[in-house]
Amino acid sequence: MAVGDVTMPQMHVVQGVKIGSAEAYVRYPNRRDLVVFEFAQGTNVAGVFTQNAFCAAPVRVSKTHLAQANPRFLVINTGNANAGTGKLGLENAQQTCVKLAELAGVQEFEVLPFSTGVIGEQLPMERVLSGIQPALDSLNENAWVDAATGIMTTDTTPKGASEQFELDGVTYTMTGISKGAGMIRPNMATMLSFVTTDAPISRELVQLMLKTSVEQSFNRITIDGDTSTNDSCIFAATGAAGGDEISEVGDARYSAVLEILSRVMKRLAQLIVRDGEGATKFITVAVEGGANTQECCDIAYSIAHSPLVKTAIFASDPNWGRILCAIGYAGLDNLDVEKVQVWLDDVQICKNGGAAEDYTEEAGARVMSQAEMTIRVDLGRGQAKDTVYTCDLSYDYVKINADYRS
Amino acid sequence: MAVGDVTMPQMHVVQGVKIGSAEAYVRYPNRRDLVVFEFAQGTNVAGVFTQNAFCAAPVRVSKTHLAQANPRFLVINTGNANAGTGKLGLENAQQTCVKLAELAGVQEFEVLPFSTGVIGEQLPMERVLSGIQPALDSLNENAWVDAATGIMTTDTTPKGASEQFELDGVTYTMTGISKGAGMIRPNMATMLSFVTTDAPISRELVQLMLKTSVEQSFNRITIDGDTSTNDSCIFAATGAAGGDEISEVGDARYSAVLEILSRVMKRLAQLIVRDGEGATKFITVAVEGGANTQECCDIAYSIAHSPLVKTAIFASDPNWGRILCAIGYAGLDNLDVEKVQVWLDDVQICKNGGAAEDYTEEAGARVMSQAEMTIRVDLGRGQAKDTVYTCDLSYDYVKINADYRS
């Protein structure tokens, strides 16, 4: 069960974007596990990908293709990550692009492949390839919910965000989807996320906007500290709603669209945490008073990755010593613990490095029992701050990851 | 249930070491939760301590006292870590030393305090102080099992190692104890470990031997990646069995004793992993072919800390893609994945970065179902190697850490 409100909003149509899907039986029968995106001619596309050295075959192919041209199609399968699959895996990812290109009448390098699922097994190519034509046949503008559902693996809920906005009298739309739900500590992007707009944005700025917004969204969430082999995030601007192209960062419309993109990306990233494997709590770890943002992130991730902190939160046990402990081993040089303050929401648990005098177990337990809480840390040594989002560690996390392959 | 053989061996008496204990009711009644060590006059003592910035009050006091003189007494309580306890915690640790010094007729700085248990609560000082005289009254040479039992927290079994050896016709003994069992990713030492010998060793060499042996034992184990606030490891050489003092590293006896110390320390460290919270498997992660030992350790810890690897092992699921993934995100510069080989015991799972052709699920599952296994990684880029020991992540880990405070 996901934490908090994870309802799909109304998923507005993005002009210039069509989505199709098919049941390819990649891993499980009767699932629309093959999803295809078509972008109108002239769409500018940017992507960020995992920094895992064992990045999956489709990630390698996508990076190569994206460097050559703007893609016209994305093809995504779930159930199999096509990672750790060597030369054959690479050929399979390429062959998927070739087949789609052939059927759709575009160049191979205008297709980007994506895979998510179990690592180390070869794709069932016959089934994948035979799913492409039905997926193309079903292309239509109003299939965002199908797409969000199609790319799910251990996700319990499809994830989407959608906004409409006006610039210079033209109404534009931004709509995107994402998926989690384990092996999540993105480093460049999350498992899979696809965000599109029909606003006209230059290719250069599409890339810049994606990088900027990923940094504060997908690069600030963690479920289990495992950076996936397949993390990919795509941002596409079709321009199909008309208007002059946004091609300068000085353009007021640039900031306006970036703000919306950042909000959509943050929502999509947080949805992944809310639906983290076994998650029962949504936790914001906000660190301030750091000398620089890197050390704020180091502290935040140290807390967010601590199995002891995460199990205590699962148990609603205000065992705050574990938070101090995680701060202590984050590896900051010359941390003066007597300047450290820690709060659970509005309850100060640690004052100047020790227990706050007016702290009570009851007050701590009240916050810890909530479905959502903020752990706020003030390091008292500078002006930098940063925030990371995570969830708790429950029996179900172990169950999900021990009982079957995802 | 601890993994493999964790039986206490015959705990040989170390001449010059006496141990006493008492029921002080620090946290639970009817437990000998206060343990005192007495070292004979002339004992040389070394210590290594946690690098956690929020190190506990007793760690701070022990470091200060140890810098002043060789200690004559150690006083250890379980049930309360006296960490995150601010100024009052520091006073309490000091007061414990003052009281013991007074009763035993030594100087305050000749007493080292140790605590383990829950973080962030003040010690019940009245009960601690009133336990000291009974503990002193019970001092005797043959109480190692009592001591190993007395210092347990969530440990399910007392942990000890003991060896006898001969140097230049004199028979010496080395006996030590340790405790875990969660919040274990020592960085300098583990939670608590006390090793003693009646061999005569200079203070300088006692320190050198401890540092050398800790590096390959307590600094190479991890259960949950949480470096405790209280990690402390003490090595004491009483010299009470006679013989000339070992004071040169060139002395052949130096190497002989170091070898025994290293074996004893490794055993005590591995016992902590075998009894890790919720552990059902004992895992050796051996990385070779690295450019340097640091990167071998980085890879080994990345695997050993991955919740996805640990849950797969708990489930006996040879989901080896998770191992590749953890190698991939360890952050090595320019890792050529096509040179990476991975084995589970004798079964090669990954060859040149992809699945080994002759690998079968059956072979992988056979190894994964064992209670003990080695994950061996060859990075193919150098001659360095290193090894880390860990355990799996089970329901019981969550249960132990969620259900009650340890």
Side-chain angles (χ1 to χ4, degrees):
Chain A
M1 278 292 297
V3 182
D5 181 10
V6 295
T7 323
M8 283 281 270
Q10 188 188 341
M11 295 293 275
H12 303 290
V13 163
V14 177
Q15 294 179 56
V17 178
K18 287 181 181 168
I19 299 167
S21 59
E23 294 181 4
Y25 196 172
V26 176
R27 187 167 190 84
Y28 300 105
N30 310 318
R31 276 209 51 187
R32 304 192 80 78
D33 52 8
L34 195 77
V35 173
V36 169
F37 277 76
E38 180 183 6
F39 298 139
Q41 188 82 45
T43 298
N44 285 320
V45 181
V48 286
F49 300 92
T50 182
Q51 292 186 335
N52 192 309
F54 271 101
C55 72
V59 170
R60 292 173 63 181
V61 173
S62 281
K63 283 167 131 176
T64 308
H65 287 185
L66 193 55
Q68 290 178 262
N70 272 313
R72 294 289 312 284
F73 287 90
L74 313 180
V75 53
I76 308 140
N77 76 268
T78 50
N80 183 316
N82 193 7
T85 47
K87 200 158 160 282
L88 181 58
L90 209 57
E91 285 166 13
N92 286 340
Q94 276 158 341
Q95 206 189 333
T96 308
C97 297
V98 169
K99 178 76 175 184
L100 194 152
E102 209 174 275
L103 294 175
V106 298
Q107 299 292 314
E108 176 195 343
F109 57 75
E110 292 178 300
V111 183
L112 305 189
F114 301 85
S115 298
T116 175
V118 70
I119 301 178
E121 295 180 13
Q122 297 296 342
L123 281 173
M125 282 309 289
E126 201 173 321
R127 298 208 292 267
V128 168
L129 295 182
S130 63
I132 293 178
Q133 187 63 60
L136 288 173
D137 291 343
S138 73
L139 281 169
N140 74 93
E141 287 194 321
N142 216 339
W144 281 98
V145 176
D146 285 350
T149 309
I151 63 172
M152 288 164 63
T153 49
T154 55
D155 307 70
T156 68
T157 176
K159 298 167 181 66
S162 185
E163 295 201 20
Q164 290 196 307
F165 54 100
E166 213 180 285
L167 298 174
D168 292 347
V170 183
T171 299
Y172 296 103
T173 298
M174 188 177 297
T175 299
I177 58 174
S178 65
K179 69 162 297 291
M183 204 177 269
I184 299 286
R185 191 248 161 117
N187 192 2
M188 271 317 279
T190 187
M191 286 292 275
L192 293 179
S193 181
F194 306 98
V195 180
T196 67
T197 181
D198 44 22
I201 310 169
S202 73
R203 196 173 189 207
E204 189 191 349
L205 290 195
V206 162
Q207 182 68 35
L208 181 63
M209 289 169 100
L210 179 60
K211 284 208 166 191
T212 307
S213 58
V214 157
E215 198 51 40
Q216 292 302 320
S217 56
F218 292 110
N219 281 357
R220 287 295 181 278
I221 64 172
T222 185
I223 289 173
D224 48 19
D226 280 289
T227 303
S228 154
T229 48
N230 290 57
D231 294 346
S232 303
C233 181
I234 293 293
F235 176 44
T238 67
D244 295 332
E245 186 174 85
I246 304 172
S247 56
E248 303 283 344
V249 293
D251 189 330
R253 296 176 305 160
Y254 174 81
S255 317
V257 178
L258 180 57
E259 189 183 324
I260 292 156
L261 178 63
S262 298
R263 195 160 57 223
V264 164
M265 298 276 275
K266 203 167 204 171
R267 174 67 179 163
L268 291 173
Q270 291 186 0
L271 280 170
I272 289 175
V273 175
R274 289 177 183 281
D275 193 25
E277 289 176 343
T280 74
K281 307 275 176 81
F282 178 81
I283 307 153
T284 301
V285 187
V287 179
E288 61 193 50
N292 51 60
T293 57
Q294 185 57 53
E295 68 177 37
C296 292
C297 282
D298 289 346
I299 293 281
Y301 275 117
S302 188
I303 295 169
H305 285 152
S306 163
L308 290 171
V309 171
K310 291 161 93 86
T311 48
I313 293 173
F314 169 56
S316 302
D317 177 4
N319 192 339
W320 56 269
R322 295 180 178 178
I323 298 172
L324 287 202
C325 182
I327 295 169
Y329 67 69
L332 261 58
D333 284 338
N334 308 316
L335 176 65
D336 181 352
V337 299
E338 292 181 5
K339 289 188 177 161
V340 173
Q341 326 290 331
V342 184
W343 292 262
L344 290 176
D345 279 2
D346 57 330
V347 177
Q348 182 157 15
I349 54 178
C350 168
K351 189 168 185 175
N352 304 331
E357 296 85 6
D358 56 352
Y359 171 74
T360 62
E361 282 275 305
E362 291 65 36
R366 175 177 55 74
V367 178
M368 291 292 263
S369 67
Q370 296 166 188
E372 309 199 12
M373 77 195 68
T374 297
I375 298 172
R376 183 156 68 91
V377 178
D378 187 338
L379 296 172
R381 55 193 235 150
Q383 298 302 316
K385 60 181 178 178
D386 217 315
T387 301
V388 160
Y389 306 93
T390 192
C391 58
D392 56 338
L393 172 58
S394 70
Y395 292 114
D396 278 354
Y397 178 87
V398 178
K399 186 176 167 64
I400 290 164
N401 286 296
D403 280 8
Y404 47 80
R405 290 199 197 178
S406 51
Chain B
M1 279 293 298
V3 182
D5 181 10
V6 296
T7 324
M8 281 282 268
Q10 189 188 341
M11 297 291 276
H12 303 289
V13 163
V14 177
Q15 294 178 57
V17 178
K18 287 183 183 168
I19 299 168
S21 60
E23 294 180 3
Y25 196 172
V26 176
R27 187 166 190 84
Y28 300 105
N30 310 317
R31 276 210 51 188
R32 303 192 80 78
D33 52 8
L34 194 77
V35 174
V36 170
F37 277 74
E38 179 183 7
F39 299 138
Q41 187 83 44
T43 299
N44 285 320
V45 181
V48 286
F49 301 91
T50 184
Q51 293 186 336
N52 192 310
F54 271 101
C55 72
V59 169
R60 292 172 64 181
V61 173
S62 281
K63 284 167 130 175
T64 308
H65 287 186
L66 194 55
Q68 290 179 261
N70 273 313
R72 295 289 313 284
F73 287 89
L74 314 180
V75 53
I76 309 142
N77 75 268
T78 50
N80 184 316
N82 193 6
T85 45
K87 199 158 161 283
L88 180 57
L90 209 57
E91 284 167 11
N92 286 340
Q94 277 157 340
Q95 206 190 333
T96 308
C97 297
V98 168
K99 177 76 175 183
L100 194 151
E102 210 174 273
L103 294 175
V106 298
Q107 299 292 315
E108 176 194 344
F109 57 76
E110 292 177 299
V111 183
L112 306 188
F114 301 85
S115 297
T116 176
V118 70
I119 301 177
E121 296 180 11
Q122 297 296 343
L123 282 172
M125 281 310 288
E126 200 174 322
R127 298 208 293 266
V128 169
L129 295 182
S130 63
I132 293 176
Q133 186 63 58
L136 290 173
D137 291 342
S138 73
L139 281 169
N140 75 94
E141 288 195 321
N142 215 341
W144 281 97
V145 177
D146 286 352
T149 309
I151 63 172
M152 288 164 62
T153 49
T154 56
D155 306 71
T156 68
T157 176
K159 298 168 181 66
S162 186
E163 295 200 22
Q164 290 196 308
F165 54 102
E166 213 179 286
L167 297 175
D168 293 347
V170 184
T171 299
Y172 296 104
T173 299
M174 188 178 294
T175 299
I177 59 173
S178 65
K179 69 161 299 292
M183 203 176 270
I184 299 288
R185 192 250 161 117
N187 191 1
M188 273 315 280
T190 186
M191 287 291 275
L192 293 181
S193 180
F194 306 98
V195 180
T196 66
T197 181
D198 44 22
I201 311 169
S202 73
R203 195 172 191 207
E204 190 190 347
L205 291 195
V206 162
Q207 182 68 37
L208 181 62
M209 290 169 101
L210 178 62
K211 282 208 167 190
T212 307
S213 58
V214 157
E215 198 51 40
Q216 293 301 319
S217 56
F218 293 110
N219 281 358
R220 287 296 180 278
I221 64 171
T222 184
I223 289 173
D224 49 19
D226 280 288
T227 303
S228 153
T229 48
N230 290 57
D231 293 345
S232 304
C233 180
I234 292 292
F235 176 44
T238 67
D244 295 333
E245 187 175 84
I246 304 172
S247 56
E248 303 283 343
V249 293
D251 190 330
R253 297 177 302 161
Y254 174 80
S255 316
V257 178
L258 180 57
E259 192 183 323
I260 291 156
L261 178 64
S262 298
R263 196 160 57 224
V264 164
M265 297 277 276
K266 203 168 205 171
R267 174 68 179 162
L268 291 173
Q270 291 186 2
L271 281 169
I272 289 175
V273 175
R274 289 178 184 281
D275 193 26
E277 288 176 343
T280 73
K281 308 274 176 79
F282 177 80
I283 307 152
T284 300
V285 186
V287 179
E288 62 193 50
N292 51 60
T293 56
Q294 184 57 53
E295 70 178 35
C296 293
C297 282
D298 289 347
I299 293 280
Y301 275 117
S302 187
I303 295 169
H305 286 150
S306 162
L308 290 172
V309 171
K310 291 161 93 85
T311 48
I313 293 174
F314 168 56
S316 302
D317 178 4
N319 192 339
W320 56 270
R322 295 180 179 177
I323 298 173
L324 287 201
C325 180
I327 295 170
Y329 66 68
L332 261 57
D333 284 338
N334 307 316
L335 176 66
D336 182 352
V337 298
E338 291 180 6
K339 290 190 177 158
V340 174
Q341 325 291 331
V342 184
W343 292 262
L344 289 177
D345 278 1
D346 57 331
V347 177
Q348 184 158 14
I349 53 178
C350 167
K351 190 169 184 174
N352 304 330
E357 297 85 5
D358 58 352
Y359 170 75
T360 62
E361 282 274 306
E362 291 65 36
R366 176 178 54 75
V367 178
M368 291 292 263
S369 67
Q370 297 165 189
E372 308 200 10
M373 77 195 69
T374 297
I375 298 171
R376 183 157 67 90
V377 178
D378 187 339
L379 297 172
R381 57 193 233 150
Q383 298 302 317
K385 61 181 179 176
D386 218 315
T387 301
V388 160
Y389 306 93
T390 191
C391 58
D392 56 337
L393 173 59
S394 69
Y395 293 114
D396 279 354
Y397 178 87
V398 178
K399 187 176 165 64
I400 290 164
N401 286 297
D403 279 10
Y404 47 78
R405 289 199 198 180
S406 52

